[in-house]
Amino acid sequence: MDPVALPRRLLAEFLGTALLVTAVVGSGIMASRLSPDDVGLQLLENSIATAFALGALILTFGPISGAHFNPVVSAADWFLGRRTRTGLTATDLAGYTVAQIAGAIGGSILANLMFGLDAVSISRNQRAAGHLWLGEVVATTGLLLLIVALARSGRASAAPAAVGAYIGAAYWFTSSTSFANPAVTIGRAFTDTFAGIAPSSVPAYIAAQLAGLLAATGLLLVLYPHAGAASGDVVVHHPAPRSEETR
């Protein structure tokens, strides 16, 4: 059977990333309104909502596109699956990346509008410091190790709970609050709210996330030498549709 058609997968990646960023930004706005004088409580509310939403979105879109919602996840999938031809193709990777970035920007706009703000409000929240960049390297490396380990060990079905739990925890144990996603980072520049990041801070965050990608890829090649054989299951196995669905 043919795999899920690329346009359907790109739509799933666009919608999934958009709704993920909507959850991140929207819960951040709600938290700042409900708990205006307690930043710690705001972060708790934001992290819980994000973790639960991410798990639900992986369940929703995983069977279609794999529920990457993240260019570094897609890049790792492409790189590790090149030899075995089990992961994304270069064309897929380019399409996924564009869909994810567009979705992330759309998600910020949607969240802004839902809370009565201007559709686009460029963030002024500066996040520029070495310890924050280190936090992004750690967050991204850990995320990729988890995802590929789940796929390689045949536990991709645990990804909704495991990935959601990791991101929820990484909000707290990393200095950067774990963006770990270039598309989400770009999208969050379009909201001047609790979850925003100033455009001038975006390039360094993305560079740190790419460093995390390189670190994770190197570690995976050592820890899981045959990880590429499971690239088709990153993040979630997306099986071929039934024949009648492709007609």
Side-chain angles (χ1 to χ4, degrees), residues 16-44:
T17 310
L19 290 172
L20 173 59
V21 174
T22 300
V24 173
V25 174
S27 63
I29 297 171
M30 182 66 82
S32 63
R33 291 182 179 180
L34 293 176
S35 312
D37 301 319
D38 192 333
V39 177
L41 184 55
Q42 291 173 17
L43 186 61
L44 179 62

Side-chain angles (χ1 to χ4, degrees), residues 9 65-66 68 70-89 92-93 96 144 147-148 151 213 217 220 227-228 230-235 238:
R9 287 186 280 141
S65 68
H68 292 187
N70 188 336
V72 295
V73 173
S74 299
D77 185 42
W78 165 77
F79 180 81
L80 293 172
R82 287 180 307 158
R83 293 183 179 178
T84 56
R85 297 184 179 181
T86 55
L88 297 179
T89 67
D92 292 341
L93 174 60
Y96 269 48
L144 292 175
I147 289 171
V148 176
L213 168 63
T217 302
L220 287 165
S231 292
D233 293 338
V234 174
V235 172
H238 39 105

